[in-house]
């Protein structure tokens, strides 16, 4: 029920925001989601459709922007993107200098990027 708890958080935040800004209605909630996050987007929308009933977010849509998985090489500074599937299959190394000394700089985000209200 991971997604349900997350979705509830999103809704609570959006409703609070609508309240603070004296808004009648929430139109869109934009989510920034890292590709490494184990969140099923279908479930997110499914739960959201269910729990939004009777709130100012009743007609709101969730828009998800997915951030890629990006590493930064500590040896040469190159930033490179890695597909999620490759994380399990391959030995990841910097494409420029083959170093395996790198750090994750994108892919774990989970935040509300914007809330559109009227
Ligand atoms: Zn490198």
């Amino acid at each position: 029920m991971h997604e349900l708890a997350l979705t509830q958080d999103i809704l609570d935040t959006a409703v609070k925001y609508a309240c603070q800004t004296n808004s009648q209605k929430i139109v869109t909630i934009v989510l920034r989601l890292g590709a490494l996050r184990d969140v099923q987007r279908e479930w997110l929308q499914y739960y959201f459709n269910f729990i939004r009933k009777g709130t100012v977010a009743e007609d709101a849509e969730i828009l998800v922007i997915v951030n890629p998985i990006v590493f930064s090489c500590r040896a040469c500074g190159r930033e490179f993107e890695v597909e999620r599937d490759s994380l399990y299959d391959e030995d990841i190394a910097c494409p420029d200098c083959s170093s395996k000394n790198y750090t994750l700089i994108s892919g774990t985000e989970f935040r509300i990027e914007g809330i559109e209200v009227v």
Side-chain angles (χ1 to χ4, degrees), residues 73-78 80 94-99 101:
C73 176
R74 285 202 180 100
C76 73
R78 163 87 186 256
F80 56 101
C94 171
D96 275 1
C97 71
S98 304
S99 166
N101 187 1

Side-chain angles (χ1 to χ4, degrees), residues 18-95:
C19 191
Q20 282 165 353
T21 53
N22 289 319
S23 309
Q24 307 294 312
K25 213 171 117 173
I26 299 165
V27 184
T28 317
I29 300 168
V30 183
L31 277 187
R32 174 74 63 172
L33 195 66
L36 275 174
R37 285 282 184 163
D38 257 330
V39 176
Q40 297 293 323
R41 288 161 69 181
E42 311 82 65
W43 283 103
L44 209 64
Q45 189 66 56
Y46 174 81
Y47 285 133
F48 186 70
N49 290 350
F50 183 71
I51 63 173
R52 69 184 178 177
K53 289 189 179 108
T55 74
V56 284
E58 182 132 29
D59 300 316
E61 262 193 271
I62 292 189
L63 197 73
V64 179
I65 303 169
V66 178
N67 269 20
I69 301 163
V70 180
F71 289 101
S72 172
C73 176
R74 285 202 180 100
C76 73
R78 163 87 186 256
E79 291 178 4
F80 56 101
E81 205 176 309
V82 174
E83 291 299 320
R84 190 181 163 130
D85 292 345
S86 317
L87 290 178
Y88 308 105
D89 301 343
E90 292 167 33
D91 242 0
I92 300 163
C94 171

